[in-house]
Amino acid sequence: MSTQSQKSALVVSAHPGDFVWRTGGAIALHVKRGYRVKVVCLSYGARGESQGAWKQPGATLEAVKRQRHEETVRVAELLGAEIEFFDTEDYPLDLNRAMLDRLVDIYRDVQPDFVLTHPSADPYNYDHPDAGRFAQQARIIAQAAGHNPGAKTLGAPPVFLFEPHQPEQCDFKPNVILNIDEVWDIKRQAFEFLPAQRHLWDYYTRVALQRGAQGGRNSGRSATYGTAQGMTYGEAYQRVFPMVLEELA
Ligand SMILES: [Zn+2]
């Protein structure tokens, strides 16, 4: 349980790899800052996002799920996050009302200061927008006083959409870039805990470098590769709701 002074974050991910490639840096960074970070992993991605695992002789759905469970627990531990699996099927996600209520209870327990989830479009993968919509719907229900009256409701934590695999096709227009230099080593190591998706390790290293260069350009921190003043690795996000500020600087 969160103590009142401890900040927290909630991550809702369709499949195991998603929260690692797209937001592993944010998770490790905020854990390092003392946040409680909880990941809800809706499925094991056993059918659609475990290409490597299916190449093993005699692979079955149960065996692939078991492998994905074990490696995902290890990766969450490395990042410092709590993890809860809903174990719904993937391709397609088979989300139901009981799971929605379960996620509402998690929101109310964690009381996140921010939420990370999938954008609402992805023509390559409908599990991703389904998971994003589910995460946002649960957030709204968690705010509703009429849902389980008397339980502590949720405030209005900002929602940051994390980067899809092909952002242009997903109407993803980042307006936040997070500097993840200080936790890059952890994020890169986390990739290697997911051998079923080995084909993505280099791809998401390039994404982090690209967003890092753009982060440097947008913050005046462009600098030589690997220097202390510069910014090398980044993660891109798109906010759903306006920022509310007391002053603009
Ligand atoms: Zn996915």
Side-chain angles (χ1 to χ4, degrees):
M1 290 287 291
S2 293
T3 58
Q4 279 204 318
S5 58
Q6 188 185 24
K7 290 189 169 181
S8 60
L10 182 64
V11 183
V12 181
S13 182
H15 314 108
D18 296 321
F19 76 86
V20 179
W21 320 122
R22 316 183 193 296
T23 196
I27 294 171
L29 186 73
H30 288 85
V31 166
K32 200 173 165 195
R33 300 268 192 279
Y35 281 63
R36 173 192 183 191
V37 180
K38 176 150 187 165
V39 176
V40 171
C41 188
L42 297 173
S43 80
Y44 289 114
R47 285 155 48 96
E49 296 197 4
S50 302
Q51 305 300 72
W54 284 104
K55 290 186 181 131
Q56 290 163 17
T60 62
L61 188 65
E62 280 315 306
V64 172
K65 273 190 182 183
R66 218 169 21 249
Q67 178 190 332
R68 300 309 318 259
H69 179 87
E70 283 164 16
E71 65 195 30
T72 310
V73 165
R74 285 181 65 223
V75 90
E77 202 174 271
L78 173 71
L79 296 171
E82 297 169 30
I83 188 150
E84 185 166 331
F85 298 97
F86 277 24
D87 191 15
T88 185
E89 294 304 325
D90 67 311
Y91 281 57
L93 289 184
D94 191 18
L95 298 163
N96 60 34
R97 176 60 197 266
M99 291 175 187
L100 188 63
D101 288 346
R102 180 174 166 191
L103 187 57
V104 171
D105 289 345
I106 291 171
Y107 269 102
R108 287 180 168 185
D109 169 51
V110 175
Q111 294 286 327
D113 291 279
F114 64 89
V115 178
L116 300 167
T117 193
H118 297 266
S120 54
D122 190 341
Y124 299 97
N125 188 321
Y126 288 101
D127 287 8
H128 294 161
D130 285 353
R133 185 178 190 279
F134 183 77
Q136 290 211 55
Q137 191 172 23
R139 173 183 171 280
I140 294 164
I141 296 169
Q143 295 172 323
H147 177 89
N148 288 344
K152 186 169 189 250
T153 54
L154 182 71
V159 178
F160 296 90
L161 306 177
F162 46 62
E163 179 155 8
H165 195 61
Q166 294 203 34
E168 295 85 350
Q169 273 67 37
C170 302
D171 299 325
F172 181 78
K173 200 167 177 183
N175 50 21
V176 173
I177 295 179
L178 184 69
N179 182 346
I180 59 165
D181 282 359
E182 64 182 273
V183 291
W184 169 249
D185 289 350
I186 299 173
K187 179 167 179 174
R188 185 65 182 80
Q189 197 187 342
F191 291 0
E192 297 179 16
F193 281 31
L194 301 177
Q197 293 174 287
R198 190 185 189 106
H199 57 292
L200 295 176
W201 297 358
D202 288 345
Y203 183 93
Y204 279 101
T205 300
R206 294 196 299 273
V207 170
L209 284 166
Q210 191 79 349
R211 294 308 188 189
Q214 293 165 357
R217 175 72 178 82
N218 281 281
S219 62
R221 297 190 61 205
S222 302
T224 325
Y225 190 88
T227 60
Q229 316 86 298
M231 174 173 172
T232 306
Y233 297 100
E235 278 175 355
Y237 295 92
Q238 184 174 330
R239 287 186 63 112
V240 177
F241 304 107
M243 269 193 288
V244 180
L245 304 172
E246 302 303 323
E247 49 184 279
L248 290 173

